[in-house]
Each structure stands twice: as C-alpha cells, then as structure tokens.
Amino acid sequence: GTELKLQTLSIEDQPMVEDENALRVAPAKQDIHHNAKPKFSVLVVEDTNAAAKLLCMMLKKLDCSSNRAENGKEALDILRDASSAKFNLILMDLRMPVMDGLEATRIIKNELKLNIPVIALTGESSLETKQKCEAIGFDGFYTKPLRRIQLKDLVEKLNSLTAYPKTVGGSLDTLTKSNESLNEENATNQNFKILKSNALTPSSGDQQMIDVDKNALNRTVAPKFSVLIVEDTNAAAKLLYMMLKNNDCVSTRAENGKEALDILRDSSPDKFDLILMDLRMPV
C-alpha cells in the first residue's frame, strides 16, 4: 500500500510543468493548421444535391473552401450575415425554388451592392437567357455541367487579380469567354486523339472519308458500349452523360420510367449494354 501511495505522490508532484507546456503547445499546432486553410472562398448556390456536391468536391481539389446555399433566399441570408470579404466568388444556379438565381443576383448587385463576381450556371444556353443575365449584372455565364478545367481557369484568373475589374456595360464573358474557347480546343484535340488511336485505314473505295468533317469521322469511330440513362434531373443526367462520354461510351436519356420503357420497346434487344436507373421520378 505504501509503494502505491508513493507512486501516486510522484505522479502528482513532478509532471505539472510538463502538462502546462503540453497545453501551451497544442493551441500553437491548431493555429498553424488554421493559417493553412485555403483563402479563396466560394459560395455555391445550387438546389440539386448531386450538382452541389460535385462543385464542392472540385473546389476542394483546387484548394478552395466552399459554402452551399440551396436557393437564392438562403444565399442572401448567408451574404447578409457574412463579412463583405468572406467570399471571392459566387456560383449561381438560375432555376431554383423559393428564389431563383436571377432575382438573387439582382438583389446582390443592386441592393446589397456587393462587389463579388457572380457566375451563372444553367442548362439553358439560349441568347435570351444570356442577355437576361448580362442585364442583371452577372459576371460570367456557363452551361452545365461546369467542367473542372473551366473552374480551375476561373479560380486562377480571380486569384491573379489584385482587384476585381468590374466594368459597367462590359461583356458578360469577361471571365468565362476564354474558358469556353479553351474547352472547345481541348475537345477538338481529344477527338483527334481518338481517331489517331483507332488508326482507321480506309480502303481504296473509302478515300472520300479523308475529306469529311470531324463530326462525321467521330461518328465512324463511335464507341459501341451503349448506356440508357433514366434520370429526371437535368444536371445529374448531364453529369452522367459527360462521364460516360469521357469513358468512350454512348448514351441515351429518358426522363422517367415510362419514357425508358418506350425507348426499350422501340429498340433492338441488343441496343443497350447497361441501364442507369434513378429511383424517384415523376410518371
């Protein structure tokens, strides 16, 4: 019993200073970690969970932090509660419940008067939609899905600017135009890589293939693995389409189960190799 008591006294008497030092060191490590947190911050305004998660994942890989709002009203609440320097960029979906991206951006620009770049994300690529965005004050315009190379270029552009140069009446594509041309160039190069890797050698009767356009050549070497995408959400369907395309697959989309059955009834039995089926859909 005496030995145990002595051991207890030695444990209580000696390590006090060491414990205090340990307590002083721990916060320093946390501070270092806190300082290493990425400074470029993005507000993602998107009602579709899949699309929002994808954007946040891409931003994380680009060493950016992100916050998500599910609609325009929630985005405004976040912006009102945050400091003016909290966000460096806002990625704004246009079609959302409660409050859409058009109305939210109008309030951000005209009422809150925040000098934060707002980029429109939409499945609509019509000139009318683009003109609406420009009139409201959007700083850029992308059709969904936003690709990683486009997001990377956008973040790098904004990071390289000491101050965001907002020019009244400037083009909507100030930040995004070069991204679109870069994306088109990459797509063209990739198409030719596919052709080169397949190394088609036309016979003497097929020499006219040399003069056909790029799209015709791509159809000639189109992948055979075919997938039916059954998905009612446009953003999710487009994302699946892009991933399948990048893996040399062709795809057809149905917006609900009934439409999928109609497509299958009208197709040959070996038309599709795989069906990707959403569970919650209308009709």
Side-chain angles (χ1 to χ4, degrees), residues 18 47 50 60 77 91 103 110 116 118 133 141 148 153 165 172 183 189 196 205 207 229 247 281:
E18 292 178 5
D47 63 316
K60 186 177 181 181
D77 291 340
L91 298 176
E103 177 62 14
N110 299 333
I116 305 173
V118 184
C133 290
F141 182 98
R148 188 179 176 186
D153 190 57
L172 179 67
N183 187 55
N189 291 338
K196 187 175 180 181
Q207 290 297 324
I229 300 170
N247 284 282
M281 297 177 290

Side-chain angles (χ1 to χ4, degrees), residues 9-280:
L9 287 172
S10 64
I11 290 170
E12 290 175 354
D13 290 344
Q14 293 178 8
M16 292 297 290
V17 176
E18 292 178 5
D19 286 346
E20 289 175 3
N21 289 337
L23 288 172
R24 284 197 294 269
V25 171
K29 290 179 181 177
Q30 290 174 1
D31 289 340
I32 292 170
H33 179 72
H34 177 73
N35 292 335
K37 188 177 180 180
K39 295 180 180 179
F40 195 91
S41 181
V42 182
L43 178 59
V44 177
V45 191
E46 170 64 64
D47 63 316
T48 305
N49 287 333
K53 285 182 180 179
L54 177 63
L55 286 170
C56 291
M57 284 176 61
M58 289 194 296
L59 287 165
K60 186 177 181 181
K61 288 182 179 179
L62 293 171
D63 203 25
C64 301
S65 61
S66 62
N67 289 69
R68 183 212 175 175
E70 293 187 9
N71 54 66
K73 183 181 181 299
E74 189 174 320
L76 294 177
D77 291 340
I78 291 172
L79 290 169
R80 288 189 179 107
D81 292 339
S83 65
S84 59
K86 166 73 174 174
F87 298 105
N88 306 100
L89 172 66
I90 300 172
L91 298 176
M92 181 75 71
D93 185 23
L94 292 190
R95 305 300 178 193
M96 297 177 289
V98 186
M99 180 186 290
D100 64 26
L102 296 169
E103 177 62 14
T105 302
R106 186 192 66 77
I107 295 172
I108 290 169
K109 296 294 184 180
N110 299 333
E111 296 182 22
L112 300 183
K113 298 189 182 300
L114 296 177
N115 191 29
I116 305 173
V118 184
I119 305 298
L121 300 179
T122 177
E124 305 171 32
S125 58
S126 67
L127 180 60
E128 181 183 358
T129 302
K130 202 168 185 179
Q131 287 173 340
K132 277 184 182 178
C133 290
E134 188 164 9
I136 287 171
F138 278 89
D139 301 284
F141 182 98
Y142 279 118
T143 53
K144 292 182 179 181
L146 179 63
R147 299 181 182 181
R148 188 179 176 186
I149 188 173
Q150 294 172 310
L151 184 58
K152 181 176 181 289
D153 190 57
L154 179 60
V155 169
E156 286 177 351
K157 271 187 179 182
L158 289 171
N159 262 329
S160 67
L161 299 176
T162 55
Y164 181 68
K166 176 62 180 174
T167 304
V168 177
S171 171
L172 179 67
D173 296 324
T174 301
L175 292 173
T176 56
K177 187 174 182 180
S178 62
N179 293 331
E180 292 173 359
S181 61
L182 177 63
N183 187 55
E184 289 172 2
E185 180 181 350
N186 288 340
T188 302
N189 291 338
Q190 182 62 29
N191 288 339
F192 277 109
K193 284 180 185 177
I194 293 171
L195 291 175
K196 187 175 180 181
S197 65
N198 282 276
L200 292 178
T201 306
S203 63
S204 58
D206 295 327
Q207 290 297 324
Q208 66 272 20
M209 282 184 63
I210 297 172
D211 299 321
V212 301
D213 61 32
K214 296 173 190 175
N215 290 332
L217 283 173
N218 288 333
R219 285 194 296 272
T220 304
V221 295
K224 294 179 181 180
F225 195 89
S226 181
V227 181
L228 176 60
I229 300 170
V230 191
E231 170 63 63
D232 61 319
T233 306
N234 287 334
K238 285 185 178 181
L239 176 61
L240 287 170
Y241 164 78
M242 293 303 303
M243 289 192 295
L244 288 167
K245 184 179 179 182
N246 289 338
N247 284 282
D248 290 338
C249 301
V250 292
S251 62
T252 304
R253 181 204 175 182
E255 293 188 8
N256 53 65
K258 182 180 181 300
E259 188 174 322
L261 293 176
D262 291 340
I263 291 172
L264 291 169
R265 288 188 181 104
D266 293 339
S267 304
S268 61
D270 58 349
K271 166 72 176 177
F272 298 104
D273 302 287
L274 174 67
I275 300 173
L276 298 177
M277 182 74 71
D278 185 22
L279 295 186
R280 305 295 181 189

